[in-house]
Amino acid sequence: MKRLLFATALAVAALAAAGCSGCSALNPNRAVLAETVIDEKALFAAEAAFFGAASAAESAVDVELLRPGDASAVKIADALDKAHDALVAARAAYAVGDAQGYGEKIAALQGFVAEAWKLIPQREG
């Protein structure tokens, strides 16, 4: 059984290395693959930034640095709402392969998250 698995692995490796025309799944276009990985990492980073800002805003409320209903709290909530909408749109654009829409939504998301971070009060010291 081990010999059969080893032989199969060698055959697949040889086909992938040879770049056979009928085996595109074994030898994907490296540039497209690299771009897809970068897009995935950008989306994950944008999601992390969004959830980090939302968590920081919630923590500011918990420690009473921010009061719900205050002007700054409303601005933060508005920025986070817009960021969430941009995140949903970026996920949708990524899912259908809309590179231009994806890039625009990621940029918008980053802007809204940055806006929220600027407004979230922080403890001194």
Side-chain angles (χ1 to χ4, degrees):
M1 185 67 165
K2 287 182 184 179
R3 288 183 184 174
L4 178 62
L5 288 174
F6 183 70
T8 303
L10 282 177
V12 169
L15 288 173
C20 66
S21 61
C23 301
S24 61
L26 297 176
N27 191 9
N29 183 336
R30 291 183 188 267
V32 172
L33 184 60
E35 191 172 313
T36 300
V37 170
I38 290 170
D39 289 346
E40 287 175 353
K41 288 181 180 180
L43 186 56
F44 292 146
E47 287 176 338
F50 167 73
F51 288 115
S55 178
E58 185 177 339
S59 294
V61 170
D62 290 345
V63 297
E64 298 178 353
L65 291 174
L66 185 64
R67 296 188 199 290
D70 285 354
S72 60
V74 171
K75 288 179 183 177
I76 293 166
D78 184 49
L80 290 175
D81 283 343
K82 290 176 183 176
H84 182 263
D85 292 345
L87 177 59
V88 170
R91 286 178 182 155
Y94 177 79
V96 299
D98 176 10
Q100 182 177 354
Y102 172 78
E104 291 170 357
K105 297 305 177 188
I106 289 290
L109 170 59
Q110 291 170 338
F112 294 132
V113 168
E115 181 182 334
W117 272 115
K118 285 183 206 173
L119 296 169
I120 297 171
Q122 299 179 11
R123 278 195 173 152
E124 306 226 358

